Amino acid sequence: MDYYKVLQSSHADDLALIKKRYQELLLKHHPDKNGGVESSEFLEIRKAWNHLSTPEARKLYDAELFGSQLSQDSAVWCTLNLQDLRFNGEEYSYSCKCSGNYEIHQEEIDIILQEGDKSCFVSCDSCSLTILLNL
Ligand SMILES: [Zn+2]
């Protein structure tokens, strides 16, 4: 399970934004609105927030997330350099063989570089493939 997806957020979002989404989702799925029953969505949202609610917890979860992506070698379709992607002034994109797209925002790249990484994984928006992107 990707806790960022549960909270309708992305890895690049800052904590304040994720918290805002969490609170909105929590209200939407609150047991009070569901006859007092804790729905599975509600429990997932709570769990996801537990993993992302502090910088320390988030760092740990990110390491887990990217570690698990690293070990899924078969899901990596190819390795690309940033200049292989199309740039529209804000976002880099690349067409997947499934006709989906790989997209990464300039801001996400800036954050990755700031953290000292030279590469990252980008997931296709419509299939399970991933590309390894050298920055
Ligand atoms: Zn695809």
Side-chain angles (χ1 to χ4, degrees):
M1 187 192 309
D2 184 333
Y3 295 131
Y4 287 104
K5 279 197 186 130
V6 174
L7 297 178
Q8 297 176 8
S9 303
S10 91
H11 179 245
D13 292 342
D14 66 30
L15 209 52
L17 188 62
I18 297 175
K19 187 173 186 179
K20 191 168 164 275
R21 301 247 167 78
Y22 161 70
Q23 286 168 338
E24 286 166 3
L25 286 165
L26 201 63
L27 274 178
K28 199 172 148 197
H29 294 282
H30 200 276
D32 287 352
K33 294 194 176 164
N34 194 29
V37 177
E38 292 189 343
S39 64
S40 58
E41 286 93 348
F42 177 77
L43 293 171
E44 262 181 20
I45 292 159
R46 290 274 303 271
K47 192 173 168 196
W49 178 243
N50 279 339
H51 281 85
L52 299 175
S53 58
T54 67
E56 293 75 23
R58 194 178 170 187
K59 216 171 187 173
L60 214 64
Y61 173 64
D62 285 351
E64 229 173 76
L65 189 67
F66 290 111
S68 67
Q69 285 183 0
L70 270 174
S71 63
Q72 290 172 358
D73 280 344
S74 59
V76 177
W77 177 36
C78 60
T79 303
L80 293 170
N81 297 313
L82 200 53
Q83 58 264 33
D84 297 327
L85 278 60
R86 285 185 307 274
F87 186 56
N88 70 2
E90 282 185 9
E91 223 168 40
Y92 290 88
S93 63
Y94 192 80
S95 300
C96 182
K97 64 180 177 185
C98 78
S99 83
N101 270 303
Y102 299 96
E103 286 174 353
I104 185 162
H105 203 274
Q106 179 68 60
E107 281 174 26
E108 292 178 72
I109 292 171
D110 291 343
I111 290 168
I112 292 161
L113 290 172
Q114 272 169 28
E115 287 172 352
D117 290 329
K118 295 280 179 283
S119 65
C120 67
F121 289 96
V122 184
S123 300
C124 175
D125 61 12
S126 66
C127 75
S128 62
L129 288 172
T130 296
I131 55 170
L132 177 59
L133 183 61
N134 291 317
L135 302 174

